[in-house]
Amino acid sequence: QEHFVESGGGLVQPGGSLTLSCAASGFASDHFAVRWFRQAPGKEREGVSCISDDNTYYEASVKGRFTISRDNAKNTVYLQMNTLKPEDTATYYCATDFGMSCAPIDPTYLENWGQGTLVTVSS
């Protein structure tokens, strides 16, 4: 079954940086809009960023700090996270609805969530 594998999370101090990877398995992710979500304890899953062929999206709280990119030859999407804050602590997931647009979507309509990768920002 088509799915993504997330990696790159870990423990980092406030102000630090991490790069997350999202590798597509079983299909070619190029031309699909790929999205990063995160879920903190006690909170709903929320959209963080998205990349399509012609656009990118960032949630307001991460704009200017996070950068999304993709390497189609490696079938992988990345999320570079800089100046991390404690409120960024969450499990990060990537997903696609197999559409080509970064227009907002309800994450409850997405399926086949992976295990995610945990990011902990703490001193």
Side-chain angles (χ1 to χ4, degrees):
Q1 187 175 25
E2 298 91 348
H3 64 281
F4 288 109
V5 178
E6 303 95 338
S7 62
L11 175 64
V12 64
Q13 292 188 343
S17 299
L18 284 173
T19 299
L20 307 183
S21 297
C22 169
S25 180
F27 72 105
S29 61
D30 58 315
H31 300 294
F32 296 130
V34 178
R35 305 164 185 266
W36 284 99
F37 298 85
R38 66 185 180 187
Q39 187 168 28
K43 293 187 176 181
E44 296 180 347
R45 205 189 310 259
E46 65 174 348
V48 176
S49 188
C50 176
I51 186 166
S52 67
D53 281 344
D54 60 1
N55 200 14
T56 57
Y57 158 85
Y58 299 95
E59 194 273 331
S61 67
V62 309
K63 202 170 186 179
R65 299 188 297 120
F66 291 11
T67 302
I68 191 168
S69 63
R70 71 196 308 169
D71 185 339
N72 288 331
K74 296 181 178 180
N75 212 19
T76 299
V77 174
Y78 304 95
L79 186 67
Q80 174 67 48
M81 307 184 296
N82 298 322
T83 57
L84 283 161
K85 303 175 180 180
E87 51 262 44
D88 295 317
T89 296
T91 299
Y92 285 71
Y93 305 86
C94 59
T96 182
D97 65 348
F98 300 101
M100 296 184 291
S101 171
C102 277
I105 60 170
D106 186 342
T108 63
Y109 293 127
L110 301 177
E111 299 179 355
N112 299 322
W113 295 100
Q115 79 288 343
T117 185
L118 177 62
V119 173
T120 303
V121 185
S122 176
S123 59

